[in-house]
Amino acid sequence: MADKGRDISVVVVGGSYAGAAAARKIADLSKKGYGGLKVTLVDQRTHYVHAIGFPKALVDDKFASKTFLSFSGFFEPDSKHQFINSRLREVKDAHHLELENGEQLYFDYLVLATGGKAPGPINVSATGKDEGLEEIGRLRAGLEEANSVLVVGGGAVGVEVAGFVAATFPDKKVTLVHSGKRLLPSNFREGVSNGAVAKLGQVGVNVVLNERVDLPADFGHNAHIGRQVLVGSSGAEYESDVQILAVGFKVNSEFLRPLETKIGGLLHIEDGPGFIRVRPTLQLDSDMFPNIFVPGDANNLPMTAKYGFKAEMQGGTAASNIKKMIDSGFDMSFTSSEDSNAIGHVLDIPPLGKWCDLVDAILVPIGPNLGVVQMLKVALGGSGMGNFLVRQLKTKDFMLWLRKGMYPNRPTA
Ligand SMILES: Cc1cc2nc3c(=O)[nH]c(=O)nc-3n(C[C@H](O)[C@H](O)[C@H](O)COP(=O)(O)OP(=O)(O)OC[C@H]3O[C@@H](n4cnc5c(N)ncnc54)[C@H](O)[C@@H]3O)c2cc1C
């Protein structure tokens, strides 16, 4: 077995669900005999933003403030691991990357956990906490002023946002328009989607199914407060004062383009959201980069895998596979050929774990009191038990408590 204490550099880009899970698991190895291991966590934001809590943060400013956790609290104060607040500009080859602040980083292993973003205001675009809270606050103020609100997209996010807006502002007309024939992802049972329609009705949301709204091409991130008339595929017109888009997800992967040009091949899928191609081991789907892993929303695993809790599980799988490669001594001989700037080449890789999408569960709060659930194939759509379970397991803090454990150095500014 290779010397575990040797110097090894692991860079993790993106400190949200997938990246934080990977960074934590790998950093913890340095307390278990892997003394030369150094983890560098890079994120364009100063704070982790608990996206899962956005539906509640939108209508509750105290809760919104709690959903930002400073990355400065991620590693213990005396740790040799580091956080860098910058944006990944370019992955240069199998061992080097460049950040927007000009720093060049060497890595033996790289985790790209950069996720994606939606065009509408459901993804906070600001990179700092104060600006992020201002952004959410502007939208909340817009909702307070509005007579009517249009939510586009009836996946879990659209359903939760519509439910919380309607329950908080019962005097507003809230409409949820969805292109599919039923709400929520189609891998869940019909009872769950029917329950969601019924419970949205109870809080006053008007649900329109089988209707695709035509969105203007210039519908920018902050262009959603103000009167708009959008037209649906049926020809119906939807007039609203605030529009919230829960559609149009795009992957953050621009930093791979120069490398793709260099190797003369694509590492991502051009159509749709632009997912980065991976193998079941979560390695980049290329023999040239066995040391680069892509867990979470950014990869091309099925849409049924695009959840925070699954991103976190994938971060864990990526970390376990990196540990296996470290144990096998892989990085000691993977020198990216004669020139350290050249692109890498394939070496013996130990058998790695494959990520397996075994769990299908969904908990969808609809305002503070109602909700629908599916767990272990049991659907609780219209029932009171669904409301009870969602309240107990999610609605209170949208599972923020689970994230706080990741930040040993809390509280920080
Ligand atoms: C409103 C909302 C509600 C949701 N509710 C739920 C829910 O209830 N349950 C659930 O399981 N899932 C939910 N999801 C989905 C869940 O949030 C995503 O699946 C999850 O965020 C994906 O995690 P990730 O780590 O892959 O990527 P992300 O969370 O997208 O994180 C990517 C990180 O990378 C950073 N980054 C991106 N590009 C760069 C770059 N070039 N350089 C440096 N840093 C970069 C970003 O700043 C960010 O911190 C919800 C999503 C939204 C938007």
Side-chain angles (χ1 to χ4, degrees):
M1 195 171 171
D3 167 28
K4 292 199 308 190
R6 67 185 184 276
D7 287 347
I8 301 165
S9 166
V10 181
V11 176
V12 178
V13 184
S16 185
Y17 301 88
R24 168 67 54 233
K25 204 163 171 179
I26 298 168
D28 284 351
L29 290 176
S30 57
K31 296 177 199 152
K32 297 174 187 162
Y34 298 75
L37 186 62
K38 179 176 174 182
V39 177
T40 301
L41 177 63
V42 177
D43 203 294
Q44 62 197 2
R45 291 178 171 153
T46 55
H47 290 67
Y48 157 76
V49 182
H50 188 57
I52 291 176
F54 179 84
K56 181 167 173 163
L58 181 57
V59 297
D60 177 343
D61 57 344
K62 284 203 184 74
F63 180 70
S65 178
K66 291 183 194 156
T67 60
F68 289 72
L69 298 174
S70 172
F71 284 121
S72 64
F74 190 78
F75 295 118
E76 281 146 352
D78 52 352
S79 148
K80 66 174 162 201
H81 308 300
Q82 61 169 343
F83 169 67
I84 300 179
N85 176 215
S86 186
R87 192 157 197 272
L88 170 60
R89 176 185 286 153
E90 181 183 339
V91 177
K92 293 189 144 317
D93 57 36
H95 285 300
H96 300 89
L97 58 80
E98 184 179 294
L99 303 180
E100 264 185 19
N101 67 6
E103 264 184 275
Q104 312 273 332
L105 299 181
Y106 171 87
F107 59 87
D108 293 298
Y109 299 95
L110 173 64
V111 178
L112 294 171
T114 50
K117 53 184 173 295
I122 59 160
N123 279 119
V124 175
S125 64
T127 53
K129 177 174 178 174
D130 291 346
E131 301 84 343
L133 286 173
E134 264 171 48
E135 200 176 309
I136 301 174
R138 271 197 302 278
L139 186 59
R140 191 182 307 117
L143 289 172
E144 280 162 9
E145 293 288 305
N147 290 316
S148 54
V149 179
L150 178 69
V151 180
V152 180
V157 175
V159 169
E160 290 186 15
V161 168
F164 266 84
V165 169
T168 311
F169 303 106
D171 55 325
K172 322 276 179 205
K173 179 181 169 208
V174 180
T175 305
L176 172 63
V177 177
H178 181 53
S179 60
K181 62 177 192 276
R182 58 184 174 98
L183 294 177
L184 301 173
S186 53
N187 54 312
F188 293 104
R189 292 183 180 232
E190 213 167 336
V192 182
S193 16
N194 293 342
V197 173
K199 289 176 180 176
L200 284 166
Q202 283 180 46
V203 293
V205 178
N206 171 34
V207 178
V208 184
L209 299 173
N210 293 310
E211 177 83 307
R212 189 174 290 278
V213 172
D214 194 16
L215 298 171
D218 61 349
F219 219 49
H221 196 88
N222 292 315
H224 305 287
I225 302 168
R227 195 142 201 84
Q228 291 265 1
V229 180
L230 299 177
V231 181
S233 43
S234 68
E237 292 188 341
Y238 298 91
E239 196 173 344
S240 59
D241 300 316
V242 173
Q243 305 80 40
I244 300 178
L245 307 190
V247 289
F249 172 84
K250 288 271 180 222
V251 165
N252 297 315
S253 62
E254 338 53 71
F255 44 78
L256 286 176
R257 303 295 179 271
L259 186 60
E260 290 176 321
T261 308
K262 202 160 155 186
I263 64 171
L266 287 182
L267 297 165
H268 77 289
I269 297 168
E270 273 188 300
D271 293 343
F275 290 120
I276 301 173
R277 286 190 288 116
V278 292
R279 296 175 176 177
T281 54
L282 301 174
Q283 288 164 293
L284 203 55
D285 187 15
S286 158
D287 284 345
M288 286 184 278
F289 308 104
N291 58 334
I292 301 184
F293 290 78
V294 187
D297 274 14
N299 67 37
N300 67 329
L301 291 171
M303 279 311 282
T304 52
K306 303 302 169 213
Y307 292 98
F309 76 95
K310 293 193 182 183
E312 199 164 331
M313 288 159 80
Q314 289 177 22
T317 303
S320 303
N321 283 341
I322 289 174
K323 179 179 176 296
K324 284 183 182 145
M325 289 169 84
I326 291 173
D327 289 345
S328 77
F330 172 85
D331 49 276
M332 294 166 75
S333 47
F334 182 58
T335 53
S336 68
S337 78
E338 63 288 350
D339 169 4
S340 66
N341 285 317
I343 287 160
H345 58 97
V346 195
L347 292 176
D348 280 346
I349 302 172
L352 299 181
K354 295 180 179 170
W355 188 75
C356 201
D357 195 0
L358 288 176
V359 194
D360 253 340
I362 196 165
L363 285 160
V364 185
I366 297 174
N369 299 316
L370 308 178
V372 294
V373 181
Q374 183 174 320
M375 274 183 197
L376 305 172
K377 305 219 180 296
V378 178
L380 298 169
S383 70
M385 183 53 90
N387 298 336
F388 174 77
L389 273 181
V390 175
R391 276 201 309 272
Q392 293 305 310
L393 298 174
K394 188 161 173 188
T395 313
K396 193 160 173 258
D397 79 342
F398 278 69
M399 297 176 169
L400 184 59
W401 65 274
L402 283 171
R403 310 296 305 166
K404 288 183 173 169
M406 286 237 180
Y407 293 74
N409 193 23
R410 280 182 309 119
T412 49

